[in-house]
Structure formats: C-alpha cells, structure tokens
Amino acid sequence: MEQKIHQGRNVKRFREMLGIKQEALAYDLGEDWNQKKISMLEQKDVIEHGLLKQISNSLRIPVEAFQNFDEEHAVNIITNTFNDQSYGYNYHSTFNVNPIEKWIEALEEIKRLNLELLKTKEEHIKTLEKLLKDK
C-alpha cells in the first residue's frame, strides 16, 4: 500500500524548520491570507499547484519538496543509516577546545594585524611626506 504525501503537513514542517510563523507566511501570500487560512491550508492533503508554487517562492523551497517529502520514509532512512550499532562500531567525537586558549590566540592575531596596520600607515605617511617635499 502506497503512503500518501500530505502536502499541507509538509508546508507546516518546512515553515517551522525555517522559523516562520503562520502570520508571516500569510503576509507574504497577500491580502487574502491570514493566520487562520494558513492553518486550514496546512491541514489539506493536496494543495493546488499554483498556490504551492506561491508558497514555494515565499519559503524559497522547491515545489517538489512539498510534493515528495515523506517524513515516515525519511525517519526510516535516518534510523537505518545513522544507528551506531548498524556498522558494528560506536563513534563518538571528542573535542578538546579550551576557550581561553582560543581567546588568547584571537588576541594575538588582533595584535599582529594591528602591527601590520601601523606599519602600512607609517609607510603611507612617509610616501605622502616624500610627495610633499618633491612638490
């Protein structure tokens, strides 16, 4: 049995992933739209292609994403692909970052850049002084 793709639910998911509120999407779609209409739209199984294209432009997501995204299928792929035991090993990265060391490195870089800037400024001043003497 083939699972139907719920386009309205996909619009809601992508909108929420982007952090866009229903009111903002309604505003983008035009004067005829409001939060309640967006809520009702997100409950529809199938959305008219023209409207889907408008939503696609507003959210900057391809129309195909709304038409083809199947959350259950995606979850199955993620579960089967990223299960640590599925490959017979556990891999856990360890990051040893000392924020104070990084801060000191950044300060040293700032100091180096300031010295370069001063050197360049002195060279410009000497060049300008030379030009003034030559005139």
Side-chain angles (χ1 to χ4, degrees):
M1 184 167 82
E2 190 174 310
Q3 175 107 13
K4 271 198 99 160
I5 305 242
H6 194 287
Q7 294 177 359
R9 197 173 303 129
N10 287 343
V11 168
K12 179 179 180 178
R13 284 193 186 99
F14 286 114
R15 178 186 57 74
E16 288 175 341
M17 281 190 260
L18 294 170
I20 297 173
K21 298 220 177 269
Q22 288 178 332
E23 294 87 359
L25 180 57
Y27 180 80
D28 273 358
L29 293 179
E31 291 180 16
D32 296 340
W33 288 90
N34 57 38
Q35 180 272 324
K36 185 173 177 133
K37 270 183 91 170
I38 296 295
S39 180
M40 290 170 51
L41 172 86
E42 291 175 349
Q43 294 172 24
K44 292 176 86 175
D45 286 338
V46 178
I47 299 172
E48 303 79 38
H49 185 74
L51 179 54
L52 209 52
K53 182 90 175 116
Q54 237 186 314
I55 295 167
S56 168
N57 291 337
S58 178
L59 298 179
R60 292 180 176 85
I61 292 176
V63 172
E64 294 78 17
F66 302 115
Q67 294 172 331
N68 300 325
F69 181 74
D70 180 6
E71 182 182 34
E72 193 171 309
H73 184 70
V75 169
N76 286 337
I77 290 171
I78 292 168
T79 302
N80 292 332
T81 306
F82 296 105
N83 183 352
D84 285 343
Q85 282 73 34
S86 65
Y87 292 103
Y89 65 88
N90 288 322
Y91 179 75
H92 300 284
S93 301
T94 305
F95 299 99
N96 294 322
V97 177
N98 185 344
I100 294 174
E101 284 179 16
K102 290 291 179 189
W103 183 62
I104 290 172
E105 286 175 16
L107 287 176
E108 291 298 324
E109 180 67 11
I110 290 170
K111 195 186 304 185
R112 184 187 68 75
L113 290 171
N114 278 334
L115 289 174
E116 276 185 39
L117 189 61
L118 283 173
K119 183 179 174 187
T120 305
K121 184 178 177 183
E122 288 172 4
E123 288 173 2
H124 283 260
I125 290 172
K126 286 180 185 177
T127 305
L128 289 172
E129 287 174 347
K130 183 179 176 196
L131 286 173
L132 285 173
K133 283 182 185 177
D134 290 346
K135 252 190 170 184

